[in-house]
Short mmCIF file of all heavy atoms in Angstrom, two decimals:
data_model
loop_
_atom_site.label_atom_id
_atom_site.label_comp_id
_atom_site.label_asym_id
_atom_site.label_seq_id
_atom_site.Cartn_x
_atom_site.Cartn_y
_atom_site.Cartn_z
N HIS A 88 -20.20 28.03 -1.71
CA HIS A 88 -19.26 27.58 -2.74
C HIS A 88 -19.79 26.46 -3.64
O HIS A 88 -19.24 26.25 -4.72
CB HIS A 88 -17.94 27.14 -2.10
CG HIS A 88 -17.17 28.28 -1.50
ND1 HIS A 88 -16.60 29.28 -2.25
CD2 HIS A 88 -16.90 28.59 -0.21
CE1 HIS A 88 -16.00 30.16 -1.46
NE2 HIS A 88 -16.16 29.76 -0.22
N LEU A 89 -20.83 25.74 -3.19
CA LEU A 89 -21.28 24.63 -4.01
C LEU A 89 -22.79 24.40 -3.99
O LEU A 89 -23.44 24.46 -5.03
CB LEU A 89 -20.58 23.33 -3.58
CG LEU A 89 -20.87 22.10 -4.44
CD1 LEU A 89 -20.39 22.32 -5.87
CD2 LEU A 89 -20.21 20.85 -3.84
N PHE A 90 -23.37 24.16 -2.82
CA PHE A 90 -24.74 23.66 -2.76
C PHE A 90 -25.75 24.60 -3.41
O PHE A 90 -26.71 24.14 -4.04
CB PHE A 90 -25.15 23.37 -1.32
CG PHE A 90 -24.40 22.22 -0.69
CD1 PHE A 90 -24.36 22.10 0.70
CD2 PHE A 90 -23.76 21.26 -1.45
CE1 PHE A 90 -23.68 21.04 1.30
CE2 PHE A 90 -23.07 20.20 -0.87
CZ PHE A 90 -23.04 20.10 0.52
N SER A 91 -25.56 25.90 -3.26
CA SER A 91 -26.52 26.85 -3.83
C SER A 91 -26.42 26.93 -5.34
O SER A 91 -27.28 27.53 -5.99
CB SER A 91 -26.31 28.25 -3.23
OG SER A 91 -25.04 28.77 -3.61
N GLN A 92 -25.38 26.32 -5.92
CA GLN A 92 -25.13 26.44 -7.35
C GLN A 92 -25.38 25.15 -8.13
O GLN A 92 -25.17 25.10 -9.33
CB GLN A 92 -23.69 26.90 -7.57
CG GLN A 92 -23.38 28.23 -6.90
CD GLN A 92 -21.93 28.62 -7.06
OE1 GLN A 92 -21.41 28.70 -8.18
NE2 GLN A 92 -21.25 28.83 -5.95
N ILE A 93 -25.81 24.10 -7.42
CA ILE A 93 -26.07 22.82 -8.08
C ILE A 93 -27.45 22.32 -7.65
O ILE A 93 -28.09 22.89 -6.77
CB ILE A 93 -24.99 21.77 -7.76
CG1 ILE A 93 -24.91 21.51 -6.24
CG2 ILE A 93 -23.63 22.22 -8.29
CD1 ILE A 93 -23.94 20.42 -5.84
N ASP A 94 -27.89 21.22 -8.26
CA ASP A 94 -29.23 20.70 -8.00
C ASP A 94 -29.23 19.61 -6.93
O ASP A 94 -30.04 18.68 -6.98
CB ASP A 94 -29.87 20.18 -9.28
CG ASP A 94 -29.09 19.03 -9.92
OD1 ASP A 94 -27.88 18.89 -9.61
OD2 ASP A 94 -29.66 18.30 -10.73
N VAL A 95 -28.35 19.72 -5.95
CA VAL A 95 -28.27 18.71 -4.90
C VAL A 95 -29.53 18.76 -4.04
O VAL A 95 -30.11 19.83 -3.80
CB VAL A 95 -27.01 18.92 -4.04
CG1 VAL A 95 -27.10 20.20 -3.20
CG2 VAL A 95 -26.72 17.72 -3.16
N ASP A 96 -29.98 17.59 -3.59
CA ASP A 96 -31.09 17.47 -2.67
C ASP A 96 -30.56 17.79 -1.27
O ASP A 96 -29.74 17.04 -0.73
CB ASP A 96 -31.66 16.05 -2.73
CG ASP A 96 -32.84 15.82 -1.81
OD1 ASP A 96 -33.08 16.65 -0.91
OD2 ASP A 96 -33.51 14.78 -1.96
N ARG A 97 -30.99 18.88 -0.66
CA ARG A 97 -30.43 19.29 0.62
C ARG A 97 -30.64 18.24 1.71
O ARG A 97 -29.87 18.18 2.67
CB ARG A 97 -31.04 20.63 1.06
CG ARG A 97 -30.68 21.81 0.16
CD ARG A 97 -29.18 22.03 0.03
NE ARG A 97 -28.86 23.18 -0.79
CZ ARG A 97 -28.61 24.38 -0.33
NH1 ARG A 97 -28.60 24.61 0.96
NH2 ARG A 97 -28.33 25.37 -1.17
N SER A 98 -31.67 17.42 1.57
CA SER A 98 -31.88 16.37 2.58
C SER A 98 -30.82 15.28 2.50
O SER A 98 -30.68 14.47 3.42
CB SER A 98 -33.27 15.75 2.43
OG SER A 98 -33.36 14.96 1.25
N ARG A 99 -30.05 15.28 1.41
CA ARG A 99 -28.98 14.30 1.24
C ARG A 99 -27.61 14.88 1.57
O ARG A 99 -26.60 14.23 1.36
CB ARG A 99 -28.97 13.78 -0.21
CG ARG A 99 -30.19 12.96 -0.59
CD ARG A 99 -30.12 12.61 -2.09
NE ARG A 99 -31.23 11.78 -2.53
CZ ARG A 99 -31.20 10.46 -2.59
NH1 ARG A 99 -30.09 9.81 -2.24
NH2 ARG A 99 -32.23 9.77 -3.01
N THR A 100 -27.56 16.11 2.05
CA THR A 100 -26.29 16.73 2.43
C THR A 100 -26.17 16.69 3.95
O THR A 100 -27.09 17.07 4.67
CB THR A 100 -26.20 18.18 1.94
OG1 THR A 100 -27.21 18.97 2.55
CG2 THR A 100 -26.36 18.24 0.42
N HIS A 101 -25.04 16.22 4.44
CA HIS A 101 -24.87 16.01 5.88
C HIS A 101 -23.57 16.68 6.35
O HIS A 101 -22.48 16.35 5.88
CB HIS A 101 -24.83 14.52 6.20
CG HIS A 101 -26.01 13.77 5.65
ND1 HIS A 101 -27.28 13.91 6.15
CD2 HIS A 101 -26.11 12.90 4.62
CE1 HIS A 101 -28.12 13.14 5.47
NE2 HIS A 101 -27.43 12.52 4.53
N ILE A 102 -23.73 17.61 7.27
CA ILE A 102 -22.60 18.31 7.89
C ILE A 102 -22.79 18.22 9.39
O ILE A 102 -23.90 18.49 9.89
CB ILE A 102 -22.56 19.79 7.45
CG1 ILE A 102 -22.53 19.90 5.91
CG2 ILE A 102 -21.34 20.49 8.06
CD1 ILE A 102 -22.62 21.33 5.40
N PRO A 103 -21.76 17.84 10.13
CA PRO A 103 -21.93 17.80 11.59
C PRO A 103 -22.41 19.16 12.11
O PRO A 103 -22.01 20.21 11.61
CB PRO A 103 -20.53 17.48 12.11
CG PRO A 103 -19.83 16.85 10.96
CD PRO A 103 -20.39 17.48 9.72
N LYS A 104 -23.26 19.12 13.12
CA LYS A 104 -23.78 20.35 13.71
C LYS A 104 -22.97 20.69 14.96
O LYS A 104 -22.81 19.85 15.85
CB LYS A 104 -25.26 20.21 14.05
CG LYS A 104 -26.14 20.07 12.81
CD LYS A 104 -27.60 19.94 13.17
CE LYS A 104 -28.46 19.79 11.92
NZ LYS A 104 -29.89 19.63 12.25
N GLY A 105 -22.49 21.91 15.01
CA GLY A 105 -21.65 22.33 16.12
C GLY A 105 -22.37 23.05 17.23
O GLY A 105 -21.76 23.40 18.24
N ASP A 106 -23.68 23.29 17.05
CA ASP A 106 -24.41 24.07 18.04
C ASP A 106 -25.46 23.24 18.78
O ASP A 106 -26.37 23.79 19.39
CB ASP A 106 -25.09 25.27 17.37
CG ASP A 106 -26.17 24.88 16.36
OD1 ASP A 106 -26.14 23.71 15.88
OD2 ASP A 106 -27.02 25.72 16.05
N VAL A 107 -25.33 21.91 18.72
CA VAL A 107 -26.30 21.06 19.40
C VAL A 107 -25.96 20.96 20.88
O VAL A 107 -24.83 21.25 21.30
CB VAL A 107 -26.33 19.64 18.77
CG1 VAL A 107 -26.86 19.71 17.35
CG2 VAL A 107 -24.96 19.00 18.80
N GLU A 108 -26.94 20.54 21.67
CA GLU A 108 -26.74 20.47 23.12
C GLU A 108 -25.69 19.43 23.50
O GLU A 108 -24.89 19.63 24.41
CB GLU A 108 -28.07 20.15 23.81
CG GLU A 108 -28.00 20.16 25.32
CD GLU A 108 -29.35 20.00 25.97
OE1 GLU A 108 -30.37 20.22 25.28
OE2 GLU A 108 -29.41 19.65 27.16
N ASP A 109 -25.68 18.29 22.79
CA ASP A 109 -24.73 17.22 23.10
C ASP A 109 -23.95 16.90 21.83
O ASP A 109 -24.41 16.15 20.97
CB ASP A 109 -25.46 15.98 23.61
CG ASP A 109 -24.52 14.94 24.19
OD1 ASP A 109 -23.39 14.83 23.68
OD2 ASP A 109 -24.91 14.22 25.14
N VAL A 110 -22.75 17.46 21.70
CA VAL A 110 -21.97 17.26 20.49
C VAL A 110 -21.43 15.84 20.39
O VAL A 110 -21.14 15.35 19.29
CB VAL A 110 -20.81 18.28 20.39
CG1 VAL A 110 -21.33 19.65 20.03
CG2 VAL A 110 -20.00 18.32 21.68
N ASN A 111 -21.31 15.14 21.52
CA ASN A 111 -20.86 13.74 21.46
C ASN A 111 -21.93 12.87 20.80
O ASN A 111 -21.62 12.00 19.98
CB ASN A 111 -20.55 13.23 22.86
CG ASN A 111 -19.34 13.92 23.46
OD1 ASN A 111 -18.31 14.07 22.79
ND2 ASN A 111 -19.45 14.36 24.70
N LEU A 112 -23.19 13.11 21.14
CA LEU A 112 -24.28 12.40 20.48
C LEU A 112 -24.36 12.77 19.00
O LEU A 112 -24.72 11.94 18.17
CB LEU A 112 -25.61 12.70 21.17
CG LEU A 112 -25.83 12.04 22.53
CD1 LEU A 112 -27.18 12.48 23.12
CD2 LEU A 112 -25.77 10.52 22.44
N GLU A 113 -24.00 14.00 18.68
CA GLU A 113 -23.98 14.43 17.28
C GLU A 113 -22.96 13.60 16.50
O GLU A 113 -23.22 13.22 15.34
CB GLU A 113 -23.66 15.91 17.18
CG GLU A 113 -23.49 16.45 15.77
CD GLU A 113 -24.76 16.43 14.95
OE1 GLU A 113 -25.85 16.13 15.49
OE2 GLU A 113 -24.67 16.71 13.74
#
Side-chain angles (χ1 to χ4, degrees):
H88 292 292
L89 185 62
F90 293 160
S91 65
Q92 302 176 56
I93 60 176
D94 61 340
V95 69
D96 180 346
R97 294 303 182 96
S98 70
R99 294 175 177 266
T100 63
H101 306 290
I102 304 174
K104 294 181 180 178
D106 64 340
V107 294
E108 184 174 342
D109 191 327
V110 286
N111 293 314
L112 287 178
E113 175 66 8

